[in-house]
Amino acid sequence: VLNIYAKLSSISEGKYGNQRNKITFQNYVLGVYFEEVLDKANERFTKMTNNQYKMILHRKKETGIKKAGLDINVFDSHTGKERSIKTLSGGETFKASMALALGLSDVVQVQNGGIQLDSVFIDEGFGTLDEESLSTA
């Protein structure tokens, strides 16, 4: 019986066998919800970036001991390649952050019986945007 619990514990921690991605059970479950947030966020982010970028959940384990599961990459339609979201410019990062916050708001509203959030407070970030980006955002 202890062996079964030890095996379940290892699986939930992403340490069992030869698992390549090392995704913990917790990150797997969060990833499912996070994909919903990304879907909603991309509805805005693609518009704010003139269809250049789309955020993608990155599940592959990179080098080292870091666990995988909740990293974000962007697909750049101009280059046709996927890359780390950390490579976005300051203005693009702000747009991604704002889209994620609004996407989370959308998912929370739907999952909680259609409640409506009437206000969102954004403290800073608009100063990093040029005139056209500010208008789009």
Side-chain angles (χ1 to χ4, degrees):
V1 175
L2 284 176
N3 191 26
I4 292 171
Y5 292 123
K7 186 175 178 180
L8 284 173
S9 176
S10 292
I11 291 170
S12 72
E13 293 172 3
K15 297 177 184 176
Y16 182 72
N18 290 326
Q19 291 179 358
R20 291 185 179 148
N21 291 337
K22 303 289 185 195
I23 297 174
T24 64
F25 180 70
Q26 179 182 10
N27 280 3
Y28 176 80
V29 172
L30 289 172
V32 171
Y33 287 106
F34 197 37
E35 284 177 344
E36 289 182 49
V37 172
L38 285 177
D39 287 343
K40 289 295 186 181
N42 277 323
E43 291 175 12
R44 293 182 176 90
F45 188 54
T46 54
K47 288 179 188 175
M48 286 190 262
T49 61
N50 296 317
N51 295 315
Q52 181 176 358
Y53 297 121
K54 179 180 179 182
M55 292 180 278
I56 300 169
L57 185 61
H58 181 70
R59 289 189 180 269
K60 291 184 181 176
K61 182 184 183 297
E62 300 299 333
T63 59
I65 60 172
K66 180 182 169 199
K67 292 181 182 173
L70 298 176
D71 293 325
I72 302 173
N73 279 354
V74 289
F75 177 79
D76 185 336
S77 65
H78 290 182
T79 64
K81 295 182 180 177
E82 187 176 321
R83 59 188 168 99
S84 172
I85 199 164
K86 296 173 186 175
T87 62
L88 294 177
S89 71
E92 292 165 341
T93 298
F94 173 72
K95 291 175 188 178
S97 297
M98 186 167 66
L100 283 167
L102 294 171
L104 177 60
S105 171
D106 291 342
V107 171
V108 167
Q109 289 180 66
V110 168
Q111 290 185 356
N112 287 290
I115 62 166
Q116 185 167 341
L117 303 176
D118 294 325
S119 301
V120 175
F121 295 94
I122 301 172
D123 187 26
E124 53 187 83
F126 288 99
T128 63
L129 303 178
D130 59 37
E131 218 33 63
E132 182 182 337
S133 294
L134 184 60
S135 175
T136 303

